[in-house]
Amino acid sequence: MLGVLAGFSVVWVVILVGYFAGRPGVLGPDGSRAHSRLAFFVASPCLLLETLSRSSLAVIFSDTLVVAGASAAATAAAYFVLAKVWFRR
């Protein structure tokens, strides 16, 4: 439970730093966009890598991974079928 709170607190700190830096315009006119891209493309993968490096492989490669992969594949297949049938150009 403490790990979940730590993960969420890191995300909230990044959001708050971006908000308080972007509010007075510290980073310039395009600063909020730059901070958003930094958080998404740099901070999020770093947080994921740090979290995965502390987890055991048995927890990562468990039945939950199979279920998550199967549900993602089923959702993508359903979208492609609906897009082909319903959203024709």
Side-chain angles (χ1 to χ4, degrees):
M1 180 67 177
L2 192 59
V4 172
L5 291 176
F8 278 116
S9 65
V10 168
V11 171
W12 279 105
V13 166
V14 169
I15 290 171
L16 288 174
V17 166
Y19 176 77
F20 287 120
R23 190 82 173 145
V26 171
L27 301 174
D30 204 25
S32 62
R33 182 170 181 224
H35 191 270
S36 297
R37 294 176 64 84
L38 176 73
F40 185 76
F41 291 114
V42 177
S44 293
C46 289
L47 179 61
L48 178 65
L49 182 65
E50 192 271 335
T51 303
L52 288 175
S53 69
R54 293 182 182 210
S55 300
S56 70
L57 290 178
V59 172
I60 295 171
F61 296 110
S62 63
D63 294 337
T64 307
L65 181 66
V66 174
V67 171
S71 64
T75 303
Y79 170 77
F80 285 126
V81 167
L82 285 174
K84 186 75 172 171
V85 172
W86 201 332
F87 304 126
R88 290 186 183 177
R89 287 188 178 188

